[in-house]
Amino acid sequence: MLRVLLPLSLFAMSLPAQELPEVEFVETLSSDGVFARPLLVEYHETDPEHCLVVEQFGKVWRMRRDGEGDRELWLDMSRKAFHPRNGGFDEEGLLGMAFDPEFAENGHLFLYYSEKADVPQEEGRRRGRRRQVGRQSVVSRMQVDPKTWEIDPD
């Protein structure tokens, strides 16, 4: 493996230097300590005034992009997602959210989260580590009205 990596690293060092784009820093969205383990902030062009803040513990907050005004609980997956507050590990919970490329037309929103599986937990060893079964990763598609931002409960 070392023989492969060494020539590749020498090749990378011999590449011509590229000029990096200028970085502009802007004022960040203030959390004022009101979010519990925020993982990402999502925006969509159908609602240019607002953003969605995703927390690991399963909550998605909707708030103004400029940080003014109150935030509102837009989606609560805290009972469905398996996270550190309900028995999960630190790397579990509501871990991702993405808009369908055609969200403005179809209203599809995708969530990635951990949940408890309906199978009993088994303990064993795999390469010297404890292995636990009884949890699974889920990619779920939700239906959202792109005009009103209301979530279809089904």
Side-chain angles (χ1 to χ4, degrees):
M1 179 72 106
L2 183 60
R3 286 187 224 158
V4 174
L5 292 178
L6 187 58
L8 287 177
S9 64
L10 292 175
F11 173 74
M13 289 189 310
S14 67
L15 293 175
Q18 296 179 355
E19 189 173 322
L20 297 175
E22 191 172 320
V23 175
E24 179 183 340
F25 292 96
V26 295
E27 188 175 328
T28 60
L29 187 64
S30 173
S31 71
D32 292 329
V34 295
F35 297 111
R37 291 199 184 178
L39 297 179
L40 62 109
V41 177
E42 287 285 347
Y43 307 94
H44 196 271
E45 62 192 22
T46 59
D47 187 10
E49 299 295 317
H50 293 89
C51 65
L52 300 175
V53 179
V54 178
E55 292 181 340
Q56 180 184 4
F57 299 129
K59 294 185 178 180
V60 180
W61 298 92
R62 185 169 179 249
M63 62 184 291
R64 291 186 48 85
R65 285 178 76 164
D66 61 12
E68 298 294 321
D70 294 332
R71 64 187 180 144
E72 66 173 301
L73 182 59
W74 185 70
L75 175 65
D76 189 353
M77 298 275 298
S78 60
R79 292 186 181 188
K80 180 103 174 134
F82 193 44
H83 52 78
R85 285 187 177 164
N86 64 10
F89 293 121
D90 280 342
E91 64 277 0
E92 294 177 312
L94 178 56
L95 302 175
M97 183 178 82
F99 293 101
D100 185 288
E102 304 296 323
F103 176 81
E105 290 80 38
N106 63 27
H108 293 166
L109 178 74
F110 296 92
L111 300 173
Y112 172 63
Y113 60 95
S114 308
E115 74 174 3
K116 279 191 173 183
D118 291 334
V119 296
Q121 283 199 349
E122 299 173 13
E123 293 187 19
R125 291 224 169 264
R126 181 177 178 189
R127 294 186 185 153
R129 294 183 173 175
R130 288 183 80 184
R131 179 174 59 109
Q132 293 184 344
V133 180
R135 53 187 30 91
Q136 61 189 7
S137 295
V138 177
V139 176
S140 177
R141 185 180 76 189
M142 300 188 67
Q143 188 67 43
V144 178
D145 183 325
K147 292 182 177 87
T148 65
W149 283 79
E150 291 188 23
I151 302 169
D152 185 345
D154 296 330

